Amino acid sequence: MLLLGAYLLLAFAWQDLPLWDFDDAMYLASGSHLHASMFLNDLTSMPLYALWFKVLAAVCNDAVWRQFLSWALLVVIVGVLPVLAEIPFAWLYTAVLIALPFFVIQPYVSLFAAMFFVAGMVLLLRKQMSFAEAAVVACGACFLVAYSRPEFQYGVFFSMLAVVIAVVVEGKGETKQHVLRVLLPTLILAGAMVYVVAHSDAGRSGVAFAQHFNVRAAGKGLIPQQGAWDSTYAYRVFGIDVAAHGGRHSIGEFFRANPLMFLKHVLLNVFSPGTVVFLVLSLSVILWPWFHAEKRSLRPASLFLLLISLPTYVSLFLVFPDKHYMSIVFPATLLLGLQWIGAERARKVEAARWVPVVALLLMGVGCLRGTVLVKGPRFRPGLRTIGCLRGVEDLRGAGNAVVYDPVGVKDVYLRSPKMLVHPDGGGWPAFEAWAKKARPDWILITPEMEAQFGVSGEAFDAFAVSELGYRAHACGASTELTVYVSPER
């Protein structure tokens, strides 16, 4: 508890706001767009995570503070739940998560999803259950997580199948009441998920596939790194009309369009070093109780871990070996894996528990985003950028400004919505002509923009102030950002 408290205090002092992360900003804003019907027909909008932010908005109006509050609460729940439940080596579990560093893996929706799986693992480690009951717990956990990570809809069906198999295998000595107690809730959850999936958009899987296919292509130099996430490259290569179906294509359409290229992408994912390491770790923890008779009591928990891990395996194989997929089930994997430690080793570990804790805490501090390792003028640039832009809003009037923003600041962090505009392309002369014609209310300039256009900051300043008549608002060395505001504002 003290370890986690110290970590949160350090995060409060040093952690930065991830301005560049589109997903986290989108999820943060989702609470204001939540409707009850989304739980029935819009799984891809992640309504449970939106509900989380809607509840937090009732106690915290400021979006920046709400982002940090959400993160801190999830850190506390994931980190402390095993400690409160008195699971063996829970203190080491928390220390390892801090040191990796697990808690800063983005987007934070994965941390939200991990919370339910940690709760399920704690339940199984606290209470001896049958295999059928463990599968029911997995079904319920995957059902909830699917409302924040839609790929876990498949975990509901995997778990239902496991319940049926377990009932057949274990059912000889069980009463009808017990069989109904495990079968009925599973069938209800699976039936409900069938309805929700049938009425939800299936295009998100294809979007995720295309985005990560583009990322790999950009890494090979096939397309520019900038804009790869939104590129239509994957659609062109697979021969898919991106405009058809409103641009929403399932991952199955990519397979049908070019099975060979799809298989090549899958094989690259499967044999990626990250995937291999994760699979070895995950399967070792899952299979270990089955080869050690003295750990027989942990086998239902290992079944639970297998069932919740299957959707993660599918995502790693079909989409991309991204760490945020792995992070969803990693805490539950770690918690079960720590039960490897035998009684003799346990006494030795407990005797020296504060030595690794101090070392692990220092490692965690070093890995926080925007920590003391980020020295000089770039200390917490994200938060300071938001503070500067809010200051511009206060001084110049908020309104619905038209903004040229190469930084990509999301509306949710500001006091009023902004309409973003960009020139079609070209160099410095084309930008000058565009700015004179468009005259956006704000122009945000960074050193990256100066390098892109091959002009100095003084040239930008002369153009914006002298020719356009804008007023400069310097945000300070920490942000390396200057905001030019139209005199009409």
Side-chain angles (χ1 to χ4, degrees):
M1 296 289 285
L2 290 175
L3 174 66
L4 198 62
Y7 177 79
L8 289 173
L9 285 175
L10 291 168
F12 178 79
W14 288 317
Q15 194 175 16
D16 196 20
L17 187 71
L19 289 181
W20 55 87
D21 197 288
F22 170 81
D23 287 343
D24 279 319
M26 177 185 69
Y27 300 142
L28 184 61
S30 63
S32 59
H33 310 303
L34 179 67
H35 301 287
S37 61
M38 291 179 178
F39 286 92
L40 297 176
N41 58 22
D42 196 3
L43 198 64
T44 57
S45 68
M46 306 179 184
L48 190 60
Y49 199 40
L51 179 61
W52 167 266
F53 278 116
K54 190 175 186 67
V55 172
L56 292 182
V59 296
C60 183
N61 290 326
D62 188 281
V64 172
W65 283 106
R66 189 159 65 250
Q67 180 78 288
F68 279 112
L69 175 62
S70 170
W71 177 80
L73 286 175
L74 293 174
V75 168
V76 169
I77 294 170
V78 172
V80 170
L81 191 57
V83 178
L84 296 178
E86 299 181 340
I87 303 299
F89 306 108
W91 63 272
L92 186 56
Y93 156 88
T94 303
V96 170
L97 290 182
I98 289 175
L100 283 176
F102 170 79
F103 290 122
V104 295
I105 294 175
Q106 293 171 301
Y108 295 141
V109 64
S110 296
L111 185 58
F112 179 78
M115 171 178 64
F116 295 99
F117 292 143
V118 169
M121 182 59 73
V122 165
L123 180 62
L124 283 158
L125 293 177
R126 286 274 296 176
K127 182 181 178 182
Q128 186 60 43
M129 294 187 181
S130 66
F131 291 112
E133 290 170 333
V136 172
V137 174
C139 185
C142 288
F143 184 88
L144 291 172
V145 171
Y147 280 100
S148 59
R149 297 292 313 202
E151 64 267 25
F152 282 88
Q153 61 185 273
Y154 304 112
V156 175
F157 306 122
F158 292 144
S159 299
M160 180 194 69
L161 180 61
V163 169
V164 173
I165 294 173
V167 165
V168 172
V169 174
E170 300 176 329
K172 292 181 180 179
E174 301 291 350
T175 64
K176 290 183 179 180
Q177 290 80 1
H178 173 79
V179 172
L180 283 175
R181 191 169 66 247
V182 295
L183 269 181
L184 191 58
T186 308
L187 293 175
I188 290 173
L189 290 175
M193 187 54 66
V194 167
Y195 177 88
V196 175
V197 171
H199 291 80
S200 297
D201 178 17
R204 180 175 173 81
S205 63
V207 171
F209 176 86
Q211 289 171 334
H212 289 90
F213 187 90
N214 291 340
V215 168
R216 177 165 281 146
K220 294 179 179 179
L222 299 176
I223 57 175
Q225 290 281 355
Q226 187 174 9
W229 199 248
D230 300 316
S231 172
T232 60
Y233 174 79
Y235 297 94
R236 296 197 306 271
V237 169
F238 278 85
I240 294 176
D241 182 6
V242 68
H245 310 297
R248 308 290 287 183
H249 301 271
S250 70
I251 195 170
E253 292 181 57
F254 285 88
F255 172 74
R256 290 189 293 271
N258 194 327
L260 188 60
M261 185 171 292
F262 186 92
L263 180 60
K264 182 180 178 181
H265 177 79
V266 169
L267 290 176
L268 288 172
N269 289 343
V270 170
F271 293 104
S272 164
T275 302
V276 172
V277 170
F278 178 77
L279 282 177
V280 170
L281 171 66
S282 176
L283 292 175
S284 296
V285 173
I286 290 169
L287 295 175
W288 161 69
W290 298 88
F291 292 96
H292 295 80
E294 69 275 14
K295 297 294 183 181
R296 188 189 308 271
S297 62
L298 295 176
R299 290 177 183 176
S302 73
L303 174 63
F304 169 83
L305 182 58
L306 173 64
L307 292 173
I308 66 172
S309 297
L310 288 175
T312 296
Y313 299 159
V314 172
S315 297
L316 294 177
F317 295 165
L318 299 186
V319 182
F320 200 74
D322 201 311
K323 60 182 178 293
H324 75 81
Y325 290 127
M326 306 175 196
S327 67
I328 298 173
V329 297
F330 179 77
T333 305
L334 175 63
L335 194 56
L336 180 59
L338 288 175
Q339 309 313 306
W340 284 12
I341 303 175
E344 187 63 31
R345 293 178 182 175
R347 284 191 289 271
K348 296 178 181 179
V349 173
E350 288 290 341
R353 64 188 299 174
W354 292 110
V355 175
V357 162
V358 172
L360 291 170
L361 176 59
L362 292 175
M363 289 172 61
V365 170
C367 296
L368 278 171
R369 294 190 185 279
T371 60
V372 288
L373 297 181
V374 182
K375 297 182 179 180
R378 296 293 287 166
F379 181 70
R380 304 182 91 175
L383 276 175
R384 298 199 176 195
T385 296
I386 293 300
C388 173
L389 295 179
R390 287 182 172 184
V392 172
E393 285 183 317
D394 292 339
L395 290 173
R396 312 299 188 186
N400 297 319
V402 177
V403 180
Y404 171 71
D405 175 20
V407 179
V409 178
K410 307 301 183 290
D411 274 354
V412 67
Y413 298 121
L414 302 176
R415 305 191 197 285
S416 59
K418 306 289 181 287
M419 186 175 76
L420 302 183
V421 290
H422 294 280
D424 294 330
W428 175 243
F431 177 83
E432 284 185 302
W434 171 82
K436 290 177 182 178
K437 182 179 179 180
R439 293 192 64 86
D441 298 313
W442 298 5
I443 298 177
L444 276 59
I445 298 299
T446 64
E448 290 76 16
M449 293 301 301
E450 297 170 12
Q452 177 183 336
F453 290 130
V455 297
S456 65
E458 290 77 11
F460 266 109
D461 193 72
F463 169 68
V465 175
S466 303
E467 294 191 42
L468 297 181
Y470 281 42
R471 291 166 290 184
H473 186 94
C475 290
S478 175
T479 65
E480 298 183 347
L481 176 70
T482 301
V483 183
Y484 295 97
V485 183
S486 169
E488 286 81 16
R489 293 294 298 168

